Amino acid sequence: MAPRAGQPEQRGPLLPGLLLVAAALSRPAAPCPFQCYCFGGPKLLLRCASGAELRQPPRDVPPDARNLTIVGANLTVLRAAAFAGGDADGEEAVAGGVRLPLLSALRLTHNNIEVVEDGAFDGLPSLTALDLSHNPLRALGGGAFRGLPALRSLQLNHALSRGGPTLLAALDAALAPLDELRLLGLAGNALGRLPAAALRLPRLEQLDARLNALAGLGPDELRALERDGGLPAPRLLLADNPLRCGCAARPLLAWLRNATERVPDSRRLRCAAPRALQDQPFLDLDEARLRCADGDADGRGEEVDLAGPELEASYVFFGLVLALIGLIFLMVLYLNRRGIQRWMRNLREACRDQMEGYHYRYEQDADPRRAPAPAAPAGSRATSPGSGL
């Protein structure tokens, strides 16, 4: 049909363009990787729980995947570029070292991971949440978390208790480059101190240190938790730690009372030592009770010094109780003095009668007139007067 007068003629193949758009939109989605479950499509959530036979991350994860969960595998060692194409078989990473450019959440719990090498998470530029909880980590590379500029959440709960001081030192080095980290989970790791690098993270919002072996926080650690330049100070979770309530705990007690909102579980803090303060709420203590022995500045000998006042108070209370009992006894004696006198008089008379009875029997037994007659000789025969003999 000829165009009307004054109407511009349509140019260009409109129908082929629409067909190309429809073909692009109808492209089939990438299949779900072997041994994995996909929820809402592979790009939304992948969950791989394949048991001990899965010894390395799956190789066929779609490149547009956003969330990846691997639980219950036997990964043991996360080698360099484990998620960028490199593995123990010598295969090289994909071009540019990025195979999962959109992956934002990676959960690797309960996978028996013992070693995390340097650069294990290379090739994940969009990763914001990483969970390595419940793995028996023994070695951690100082550059294990390098190449994660967007990481906001790192969970290492119940994962560091077997590594000892060496693993804690490596963790300090591994946390140093994570300037954008907001959440750090270190619960259940038997830590005797908090990693220094964790306290210095500039944008950290919450540090979970529950269920550890922290006896307290020193002045240096408390100062490291403060922030300059208007940045908000991080929240700290400290419940279920064996706090030692000696003189070394005074800075922590003063800090908590001035910034209770910084420790949401502060009301759950309890003293584990000394015995005199065991299981006492930490915030309810008086600083005067946080004492140390003479010459003991680190708070290790406060138990001896704290036991003295407690025992002294117990002795005073015991003495008061005994004095009260004695006073009551004297009052009872006074109120019953007449009855007691009558009882004493009756007792004295009874004793006198008893003694007189003993004396009378003694006199009777000692009288010679009451001695028995001698017995007649054997063979003698009694004779009567009229016998004539």
Side-chain angles (χ1 to χ4, degrees), residues 33-37 46-51 54 58 61 68-73 111:
F34 179 65
Q35 298 177 332
C36 298
Y37 302 93
L46 286 86
R47 180 180 177 89
C48 304
S50 306
L54 186 62
V61 177
L68 175 60
T69 298
I70 302 176
V71 178
N111 287 305

Side-chain angles (χ1 to χ4, degrees), residues 255-267 283:
W255 181 78
L256 283 175
R257 288 176 174 171
N258 293 329
T260 308
E261 70 283 355
R262 298 273 302 277
V263 184
D265 56 358
S266 59
R267 290 294 174 184
L283 277 181

